[in-house]
Amino acid sequence: MAFADGTADFRSDTVTRPTEAMRKAMADAIVGDDVYGEDPTVNLLEEESAAVVGTEAAVFVPSGTMGNQLAIWGHTIPGSEVVCVETAHVRNHERAAAAAIAGVQFRGVESPDGSITPDQVKDTAAPEHHHPRPSLLAWENTHNTSGGTVTPLDVMVETSDAARAIGLRIHLDGARLFNAVAATGITADRWADPVDTVQFCFSKGLGAPVGSILCGPADFIDEARYRRKMLGGGMRQVGVIASAARIALAERDRLTEDHENARRLADGLADRYPGSVDPAAVQTNMVIADCSPIPGGVAAAIDALAAAGVVAAEFPVGHIRFVTHRDVDAADVERVLAGLPRP
Ligand SMILES: Cc1ncc(COP(=O)(O)O)c(C=O)c1O
């Protein structure tokens, strides 16, 4: 179902607009001052989120970036390194916040799909005297840049064990954790089990307008709450948005629809433009299409889609990344296929 103006926006799952139920919940939300810990709706959301991922506590934050940065800041010491894949959001897309706030740098390891091997982690702790010491392993699951791929749980467990053995803490950027849950049937608490903290977003495929949450041990979350205030993240009567996030969390099973639509789109593109998409690489709600088999390439594809009322963007160069979400449906997938230039 496209937006009210008829456009279907495939650029990201961040573009969703609140549902009628969310708007009503926001209007009716029971609120208090969350800086005093007195917003009942936020307190419920934090309890429900911690229960879903099986941690002691959780703290509501305005964005995934703030959740990740509070985790990095809390887990590391200045001058140390965070180990992650070289394409990780925390490394490339958070405005160097970890350098500015926590005083750390990243050790990006090569990975086509977000997975990291035990040896890659062990290699970061080189015992020579020029090398900074690693302090944190940061996962991203599902992995955004490679097209929503899932790092298998056994890989996370094995590599996290290796990281712990050399003294690292472990954080999961689970902005799209529930896409991994929907794709595998493995529950969120099992994904969170190998890590110390997990951040997930209500404002991606789950469809809430705003908000993310950082979950972990009670003492870590207490400290994160203190630091959230330092960053200006004390949000007062924020039950107004937590109410929409509660609905998003309760309706998380709907992500399978997004995965079906991504599959439909991947199959349609692969059939029409052989070589444009590897359907096996499409595991969740993203399809990265190489536009070279499309007549006119990426620019012509984006123009033709715009004429059909479809918003799409180039990512990476020469490709379009289509992201499915709550506000696009199977008819919009057909619109993409019908709108693209014919071979
Ligand atoms: C993998 C990943 N982590 C973190 C974030 C940051 O979330 P936010 O935009 O809410 O700061 C994003 C946003 O797209 C993301 O894709």
Side-chain angles (χ1 to χ4, degrees), residues 63-65 68 89 94 140 144 173 175-176 201 203-204 212:
S63 65
T65 299
N68 285 334
H89 197 280
E94 300 191 2
E140 181 180 310
N144 181 7
D173 174 0
R176 297 182 180 80
C201 296
S203 59
K204 308 267 176 327
S212 294

